[in-house]
Amino acid sequence: NLNGLINNDLTSLALDNNSRLWVGASDGSISILNIQNNTWKYIFDIKNSTEANKAINFLYQTGSFMFVATGYGIQKISDINYTFVDAPYYKLGSFPNNTIVYALTSRNNILYAATKAGVAYADYANSNLNNPASWTNFNSLNLTADVKTIESYDNKIFAGSLTGFSYYDGFIWRLYPNP
């Protein structure tokens, strides 16, 4: 804490396009280190909120926005002025309100979220992410619950849960390696 962190219980790290290290913590605090000049900025909005689970589980940058996976949904923050864009995304399709989001990735303007209830995905560039109808849900195969990680590679989306590993080829979710 003496060197600039708000909290030492760190849960996520991300380097943005402007050489700043975003550091998320279990209490909802976000500390941002400008690596070029060793100065800190802070975001307290989540930490000071009334949310029950404020943990910053994952930080994912796309364009000039940092998407923040939290214990209650997803937040979108401008990496230019550190302001929140939109209200929190609490309802991801038909998944329950305030579903824990563990990780994020994107491919072709689609944001994919690994959640406690399965995988949720939506077009972040052309849809209203606050509208639950904008989100598609998948919670079958090995992704029925506690999807802990998700990544985009080789025109596929790979997702892992406590019960296994699957991938999305752009048309259908499949077991990995193959059924």
Side-chain angles (χ1 to χ4, degrees), residues 73-174:
I74 301 170
Q75 293 275 185
K76 183 179 179 184
I77 302 173
S78 166
D79 76 351
I80 297 168
N81 59 13
Y82 309 115
T83 58
F84 283 69
V85 179
D86 294 336
Y89 309 135
Y90 289 119
K91 182 82 170 138
L92 308 178
S94 63
F95 290 165
N97 281 344
N98 299 69
T99 297
I100 297 170
V101 179
Y102 296 112
L104 300 164
T105 193
S106 69
R107 180 176 166 266
N108 298 332
N109 291 334
I110 306 294
L111 181 68
Y112 295 84
T115 80
K116 181 144 186 78
V119 176
Y121 48 103
D123 184 332
Y124 66 84
N126 300 306
S127 63
N128 175 4
L129 298 180
N130 276 309
N131 181 352
S134 298
W135 293 88
T136 300
N137 297 134
F138 185 80
N139 58 346
S140 186
L141 298 174
N142 293 328
L143 306 177
T144 57
D146 284 320
V147 180
K148 298 286 190 173
T149 188
I150 196 159
E151 188 60 64
S152 175
Y153 175 74
D154 193 29
N155 292 319
K156 295 176 184 70
I157 302 298
F158 294 89
S161 73
L162 297 178
T163 57
F165 188 46
S166 296
Y167 71 95
Y168 182 62
D169 64 11
F171 301 101
I172 190 169
W173 285 92
R174 302 178 184 274

